[in-house]
Amino acid sequence: MSTVLARRQGAIGRLTVNRPEALNALDLPMIRAMLTALDEWESDPAVTAVVLDGAGDRAFCAGGDIGVVHSSAVGDPAVARTLWREEYRLDARLARYPKPVVALMDGITMGGGIGIGAHAAVRVVTERSVLAMPEVAIGLAPDVGGTLLLARAPGELGVHLALTAGRVGPGDAVHCGLADHHVPAGRLAPLVEDLAAGAAPEATVAKYAEDPGPAPLAAARCWIDHAYGGATTVEDVLYRLDAIDEPGPREARAAITAAAPTALKVTLRAVRQARGMTSIEECLRQDFRLCSRFLAHPDLAEGIRAAILDKDRSPRWRPGTLAEVDDAAVEAFFAPLADELDLPEQSTLWSDHR
């Protein structure tokens, strides 16, 4: 069975990640198949738009193939670096595609799922959608251009999500700028039929869209902006959270202190730097530097072991405290690589893509 279903459906190219037993997690053959389809449809005048979705009703895409990353972290780092090179090329391709890409992020959408869905021209969530960049929980920093999206969320909401590995539903996904519209799952099939008939993507999706419902993070902006705004260190964030005796800040503090200290410090700097970036390519080059360095760091293999493989939820981070992660160690993650990610810089600003 093909793990990517690429076919013509009327006026659209239809791309379905088809690995439901693995929550549609991306491996290298899937990434390459998607790139091939996009290349073919770009020059096909009969294809006016692309619809990207996931098989099954549980997940759009839960991320990249974490088993490959773990085996690469304990073995040959070139394997994961090849996966990331091509995955980031796909993320940039979808963001820059000359025809509208409509991403139907129905169900779990995390990590690599954000990469292929949340940079699309028209981004749809449903009542079943759960979005997250949970990398700090496994000893990694958010990648796939995710820090660019988080950096542009209102106030400090993106920093909060990055450091807590927080999950959001449809209301917060739209509020934070990770999605454009909420369409009930039961209306996706007729939506796709209209698109296949040649209807304009943005107007058609808007016709099917409904109110996404509550956005809890929007209601929490006051304490979130206070805790993270202007903070230059993770320790400062924790100090401010300690001073707010409310359930939300207590939960945020618990999530942050459970994550990998090195990943937390690298992530805070990565999101702050992304605020000054003007293209997805610039962010993806930073992501490639960071992920390449994490492959050589003990926390990545240990984090995957504790969360995914053994599932004991008791990672032994090295170093084990924020105080032991000095500025020089963080700086080293951002240093240029001998073999940088090669993506052509585009003249159009990322913010002009919408």
Side-chain angles (χ1 to χ4, degrees):
M1 180 180 67
S2 176
T3 53
V4 171
L5 304 179
R7 68 277 193 204
R8 278 278 312 281
Q9 183 177 339
I12 62 174
R14 188 85 182 270
L15 267 181
T16 301
V17 283
N18 186 38
R19 200 181 171 201
E21 74 286 351
L23 299 179
N24 297 321
L26 296 171
D27 61 19
L28 189 56
M30 294 168 72
I31 291 165
R32 289 174 172 170
M34 295 172 74
L35 284 166
T36 296
L38 291 170
D39 288 346
E40 292 176 356
W41 291 335
E42 181 175 358
S43 59
D44 186 344
V47 175
T48 59
V50 173
V51 172
L52 175 59
D53 63 0
D57 57 9
R58 294 183 61 201
F60 167 66
C61 174
D65 193 324
I66 205 70
V68 169
V69 174
H70 181 267
S71 62
S72 186
V74 300
D76 182 3
V79 176
R81 296 182 85 236
T82 297
L83 174 72
W84 285 326
R85 278 186 188 278
E86 302 208 28
E87 181 181 10
Y88 298 170
R89 181 184 163 215
L90 174 61
D91 298 335
R93 185 86 167 99
L94 288 163
R96 300 292 189 184
Y97 203 62
K99 300 177 181 183
V101 176
V102 180
L104 306 180
M105 297 184 287
D106 179 28
I108 297 169
T109 304
M110 298 183 182
I114 296 288
I116 62 172
H119 297 296
V122 185
R123 306 162 303 167
V124 176
V125 287
T126 75
E127 71 278 8
R128 303 186 295 206
S129 296
V130 179
L131 279 65
M133 293 297 297
E135 286 75 11
V136 293
I138 60 166
L140 190 62
D143 65 332
V144 298
T147 51
L148 192 64
L149 297 165
L150 295 173
R152 285 157 173 73
E156 297 293 319
L157 298 185
V159 179
H160 171 71
L161 290 175
L163 294 184
T164 62
R167 301 182 178 195
V168 299
D172 277 323
V174 173
H175 180 74
C176 291
L178 300 174
D180 303 303
H181 300 283
H182 165 253
V183 176
R187 306 191 78 188
L188 293 180
L191 165 61
V192 172
E193 290 177 4
D194 281 0
L195 294 174
E202 179 63 43
T204 303
V205 172
K207 181 181 73 173
Y208 281 93
E210 296 182 1
D211 188 322
L217 286 182
R221 270 285 301 277
C222 183
W223 71 259
I224 288 175
D225 286 357
H226 172 74
Y228 300 89
T232 57
T233 67
V234 181
E235 292 93 330
D236 189 19
V237 171
L238 292 175
Y239 176 79
R240 297 184 192 186
L241 289 171
D242 265 340
I244 311 172
D245 188 19
E246 297 175 14
R250 286 196 294 268
E251 291 170 6
R253 192 186 194 289
I256 293 171
T257 54
T262 300
L264 287 167
K265 289 202 168 185
V266 170
T267 294
L268 180 60
R269 174 169 170 181
V271 178
R272 297 287 192 231
Q273 289 198 174
R275 285 181 172 168
M277 295 179 180
T278 56
S279 72
I280 187 174
E281 291 82 10
E282 185 180 4
C283 188
L284 290 170
R285 279 193 284 272
Q286 175 175 277
D287 292 344
F288 190 70
R289 290 180 182 181
L290 302 184
C291 286
S292 294
R293 267 51 186 261
F294 275 113
L295 274 176
H297 194 282
D299 281 355
L300 180 54
E302 172 63 8
I304 296 173
R305 179 206 64 77
I308 310 297
L309 302 180
D310 297 344
K311 298 183 179 180
D312 58 29
R313 310 294 177 185
S314 299
R316 295 177 291 276
W317 306 124
R318 291 186 288 164
T321 66
L322 289 165
E324 295 174 275
V325 184
D326 61 28
D327 291 343
V330 174
E331 181 71 25
F333 277 81
F334 292 83
L337 295 166
D339 55 342
E340 297 275 24
L341 179 67
D342 183 19
L343 287 175
E345 189 63 53
Q346 301 291 323
S347 59
T348 304
L349 297 181
W350 180 88
S351 57
D352 292 338
H353 177 67
R354 300 274 167 242

